Amino acid sequence: MTLHTLSELIDEGVRGRHVLIRSDLNVPLDGALVTDDGRIKASLPVIKTLAEAGARVLVSAHLGRPKGTPEAKYSLAPAVARLAELAPELNATLAADTTGPAARAGAAALADGSVLVLENVRFDARETSKDDAERAAFAAELASLTGDNGAYVDDAFGAVHRKHASVYDIAKLLPSYQGDLVRTELEVLTRLTTDTVRPYVVVLGGSKVSDKLAVIDNLLGKADTILVGGGMLFTFLAAQGHQVGASLLEKDQIPVVQEYLKRAAAAGTTFVLPTDIVVASGFAADADHETVAAEAIEASSFGATGLGLDIGPESGAAFAAAIAPAKTVFWNGPMGVFEFPAFAGGTRAIAEALAKNTANGGFTVVGGGDSAAAVRTLGFDDSAFGHISTGGGASLEFLEGKELPGLGALER
């Protein structure tokens, strides 16, 4: 795959030119407060590079899943306010619409080195339309904001798996380049899939095993060890014949998991499941809880109504021991409900193990989404890990071996 780079665009000259960047500002919010600004910080280097080179920078991005019409709770205003706090020198402002009068007037008024963020692209239903003509029409409106000599930079790896107007169709209309964030993500993910330095340990968590099946399938024989935690572990326990109480369970996936367990053994990949579980009386931060053996969840004080919300300390230590000798580690998905302090121990144990592995020369990747939010919530600095992905679903689809539309559109 040959993609033109940001440095090539800078070398061609951008002063006085409008450059449209597709950034990833899809950050979690608590009302109007950004609770994890990792994606904003990751987006800033490319925005700054272009602004400092004299470009008239337009930023397109989405936040949440509005239904194709403006919704105040999905406005990019909080993200832009945080961006302005992190980089006041950019004088970044937010247009009140995406391609309407405010966006057109704002784009026309941009001075060299200034930044205008367009309102949430998903406020227009054409952004995500399955109709090619509708998406193309919206992309044409976005492209028109750049005038006669514009360019497009895709720096939102977290969206490259989507065939959306601001990701896919726009690249057909303007000279297109990969941003440094996309370039870095590709380099990192390639290290996880091609000539990976072994031992290679993969840590998978999160709620649903169905979300990870294709990744597991592609990792069999490539990863030496797969550590399983989070809500998905209960389907694995059920596949081994254990009762899991009221814990999250995808019964329809039990036969699939059983088949993967058989195939893993033949492929030389070892699955490691928790040996103890923190079981709670309900899903609440202050719920009564206790630690029991993984095969004895229904023997807890809560019986069949017990809810597994974290891996236990014994499992956390065992997982850390498995991570310690690895040369490559990929982690996607928390081990428990880390937002509740009582059920954050397993996730903390994994984060600490990755940080130690990094310090000892290992290559560690935190796979975006909830995992990235977890390490920051628990007080870890990004620098403690080899790489914190902004990719989320895009990273997983890359690891599944899928082609990503947004990357294909950049090839020329």
Side-chain angles (χ1 to χ4, degrees):
M1 180 180 292
T2 302
L3 307 179
H4 290 281
T5 65
L6 180 67
S7 60
E8 290 179 65
L9 175 59
I10 297 297
D11 288 344
E12 292 167 11
V14 293
R15 182 166 298 280
R17 296 174 63 185
H18 284 79
V19 178
L20 176 65
I21 310 173
R22 180 53 162 95
S23 296
D24 188 354
L25 304 181
N26 187 27
V27 293
L29 300 175
D30 181 2
L33 177 68
V34 175
T35 57
D36 178 10
D37 60 9
R39 285 177 170 168
I40 298 173
K41 289 178 176 176
S43 298
L44 273 173
V46 166
I47 296 173
K48 283 184 175 181
T49 295
L50 285 164
E52 289 169 0
R56 301 176 181 184
V57 180
L58 295 165
V59 177
S60 64
H62 78 278
L63 192 152
R65 296 183 177 180
K67 303 184 185 302
T69 188
E71 296 181 57
K73 66 179 180 179
Y74 293 125
S75 172
L76 285 172
V80 176
R82 181 58 181 147
L83 186 153
E85 289 175 355
L86 292 169
E89 72 278 9
L90 293 176
N91 296 312
T93 57
L94 175 68
D97 53 34
T98 306
T99 60
R104 292 196 299 270
L110 275 176
D112 295 357
S114 55
V115 178
L116 176 69
V117 182
L118 307 175
E119 186 54 283
N120 195 332
V121 288
R122 292 188 182 176
F123 282 178
D124 192 308
R126 296 172 296 173
E127 163 71 2
T128 60
S129 174
K130 297 188 184 305
D131 186 299
D132 291 350
E134 290 182 354
R135 288 198 322 276
F138 182 49
E141 291 180 16
L142 287 169
S144 70
L145 298 175
T146 68
D148 297 328
N149 192 28
Y152 170 71
V153 175
D154 191 341
D155 202 40
F157 191 83
V160 295
H161 59 316
R162 305 297 188 191
K163 195 175 183 180
H164 290 171
S166 68
V167 176
Y168 176 79
D169 301 88
I170 187 71
K172 301 177 182 179
L173 303 178
L174 295 171
S176 300
Y177 306 80
Q178 62 171 325
D180 289 347
L181 184 58
V182 167
R183 178 181 54 78
T184 300
E185 293 279 1
L186 281 175
E187 290 172 352
V188 167
L189 292 171
T190 299
R191 290 180 65 177
L192 296 178
T193 53
T194 306
D195 297 325
T196 307
V197 180
R198 304 175 81 158
Y200 179 19
V201 174
V202 174
V203 188
L204 295 178
S207 57
K208 294 183 177 180
V209 69
S210 55
D211 292 340
K212 304 291 196 305
L213 288 177
V215 174
I216 293 171
D217 184 69
N218 208 37
L219 287 171
L220 294 182
K222 296 178 181 177
D224 297 289
T225 306
I226 299 178
L227 311 176
V228 180
M232 62 183 285
L233 76 87
F234 301 106
T235 303
F236 275 83
L237 290 178
Q240 294 183 328
H242 303 306
Q243 300 299 312
V244 299
S247 306
L248 186 63
L249 174 64
E250 293 181 276
K251 290 184 179 180
D252 61 322
Q253 300 299 334
I254 290 175
V256 181
V257 170
Q258 290 172 330
E259 178 62 24
Y260 279 158
L261 290 170
K262 293 177 183 177
R263 286 179 52 201
T269 296
T270 300
F271 275 100
V272 179
L273 301 182
T275 55
D276 59 341
I277 303 293
V278 181
V279 181
S281 60
F283 189 85
D286 60 352
D288 292 335
H289 56 279
E290 60 189 66
T291 301
V292 300
E295 66 272 16
I297 291 175
E298 294 195 0
S300 75
S301 302
F302 318 114
T305 65
L307 186 66
L309 294 185
D310 194 14
I311 64 172
E314 180 180 282
S315 301
F319 283 14
I323 289 168
K327 296 298 184 184
T328 305
V329 186
F330 172 68
W331 173 27
N332 183 276
M335 296 293 98
V337 187
F338 70 90
E339 297 91 344
F340 299 159
F343 310 111
T347 302
R348 183 181 297 279
I350 297 299
E352 289 175 345
L354 260 71
K356 289 179 181 178
N357 185 283
T358 306
N360 291 328
F363 177 59
T364 62
V365 179
V366 180
D370 288 342
S371 305
V375 297
R376 294 175 181 131
T377 298
L378 295 176
F380 292 86
D381 191 87
D382 288 12
S383 62
F385 310 98
H387 178 71
I388 295 185
S389 175
T390 59
S395 297
L396 290 179
E397 290 197 15
F398 187 96
L399 293 176
E400 291 169 15
K402 291 183 178 179
E403 292 189 10
L404 307 182
L407 296 181
L410 294 176
E411 287 192 273
R412 56 187 173 91

